[in-house]
Amino acid sequence: MLEIKNVSLKHKDKELLKDISLSLQAGKIYGLLGPNGAGKTTLFKSILNITKYTGSITCDGKEIDLKNVGSLIEYPAFYENLTIEENLKLHAQYLKIEKVDICKSLNQVDLWKYKDKKISQLSLGMKQRLGIARAFLNNGKYLLLDEPTNGLDPIGIKDFRLLLKNELSTKHNIIIISSHNLNEIVAIVDVLIFIKDGKIIEFTDNKYNDEKELEQLYEKLMGDDKEKYDD
Amino acid sequence: MIDLLKNEICKLRRQGFLLFLLLLATFPVILGGARTIMGGNEFELSKLFFFANNQISMFFPVTIFILVGSLFYIEYKNGTYINYITYGYSKTKLFLSKIILANLIGILLSILTAIIFSFSIVVANKIGVNIIHDVSWTSLMIGYFIETIIIIVVTNSIGAIVINLSRSMVITSILGVIYGFVSALFIGMDFGYFVSGSFAYRLSMYFIDATSYYDNPEKSTIIGIICVIASNIIFLIVGMNIFSRKKTIER
């Protein structure tokens, strides 16, 4: 269980996170929804322990072991001079993953045939897919995906959805996704978390059948901030 | 630490800046070597080294400054910094792995420069230029390696501070050039032993001409060595603190 207790973060007189408390259970996919600047990425960074937050974020009562976390935060960043395969190997070396199946990981995101391409030769969509492959390379207990379908074409989005649902989500791990794509969120996640101005304003099971129903709830919760969401 | 070093070495594949640094580091001796081979019939070894070492004392700190800057800049340029610091290693270890690698590459550049210098003398001899061995090659090399090792360790610590504060290679390169000039500026001064680069130069020249050393050799040497060690420790601690301190939000 991932326990976030009374987490707050202030930066230059602005409260980026306000007293956030969440209990996230293994085996579920959580969707984090909110307008730009609501605090989604800051919350992810706090889970990764790279912000000066107050409060506590623990895993089964202990500090989170970062080697158990896979993440794709903000944008997919890689060593541009290295190839796809070299980047994943380096990532595996840092995490000390002994049995790493790079071929399988790259095949899952349809990049194996480009394994010898340098990162500087890839499109944004390919980088995004590689970012997803890297995030789940260690089969971590926690998978944090910040806008994972940015730059993906409709087929790529569909493939990602199937990959997440059918292969990555297990009863042992916790996946948190932030996305601007309600259609994607409604189809993937088990639990919806709405965040606005650094505060969790709604935490509910995903019982919605389509994007329109979710959009209505989103509009109701976000009010004036909907415009920001559409940006 | 060994694993972290190996990972750092992996990142250097196809990095063009290494070739640039090799040219920058060896430029003074290539120039000196060409001058020897083409410029006359007779040269004294001490004069050849003196000519090359004047350039080295200025170019080598610049090279090392750019080297250590580039090793840290890899993370900032590629945007991999966030990934890099979330692998679960202490930032102190990450910082030291880059500093150790910068020191190792610096020493390698220093050795290559010495090889090119020695090779140009051999070539000059072969084509008929008379090289007068007025100083022993061994003492000359001892002086040279003491000088470059001092430059490498101190400059790496200073360069790490600059790149991690600025996150800009332009600023780091400009400050590297200024640092090289400042080091050279203090070479002739009586109290120059307070500046590590200047002290290193005078120390290396002592091995080929003891009269070119400071007026009070014992005092100068002791103070110079204390300054080198103290400044390196201080710069290293400052650099480590800058790199390791937790920011409100890492970017």
Side-chain angles (χ1 to χ4, degrees), chain B residues 230-249:
Chain B
S231 61
N232 192 41
I233 291 172
I234 291 166
F235 290 136
L236 209 55
I237 291 171
V238 171
M240 215 182 298
N241 276 330
I242 289 168
F243 186 77
S244 306
R245 76 173 170 208
K246 200 169 185 178
K247 294 161 187 84
T248 310
I249 306 175

Side-chain angles (χ1 to χ4, degrees), chain A residues 59-121:
Chain A
C59 153
D60 300 325
K62 293 176 201 155
E63 205 174 283
I64 294 176
D65 178 4
L66 289 175
K67 290 196 167 58
N68 262 327
V69 184
S71 64
L72 173 59
I73 306 289
E74 287 181 326
Y75 52 88
F78 299 94
Y79 299 101
E80 297 273 327
N81 53 311
L82 302 183
T83 65
I84 287 180
E85 192 179 17
E86 286 166 349
N87 264 285
L88 285 195
K89 274 187 180 165
L90 185 59
H91 182 71
Q93 280 167 216
Y94 266 115
L95 292 173
K96 295 189 173 162
I97 309 170
E98 283 174 8
K99 287 176 187 168
V100 59
D101 193 345
I102 287 174
C103 175
K104 185 186 165 198
S105 297
L106 286 177
N107 267 323
Q108 283 175 324
V109 292
D110 201 21
L111 282 177
W112 177 245
K113 54 184 174 285
Y114 305 112
K115 69 180 171 67
D116 295 324
K117 272 202 170 204
K118 283 205 297 183
I119 301 298
S120 53
Q121 298 170 308

Side-chain angles (χ1 to χ4, degrees), chain B residues 44-60:
Chain B
E44 288 165 356
L45 186 58
S46 61
K47 289 233 170 78
L48 282 177
F49 179 71
F50 178 72
F51 174 79
N53 202 26
N54 282 344
Q55 320 289 319
I56 288 168
S57 66
M58 204 165 68
F59 276 90
F60 206 63

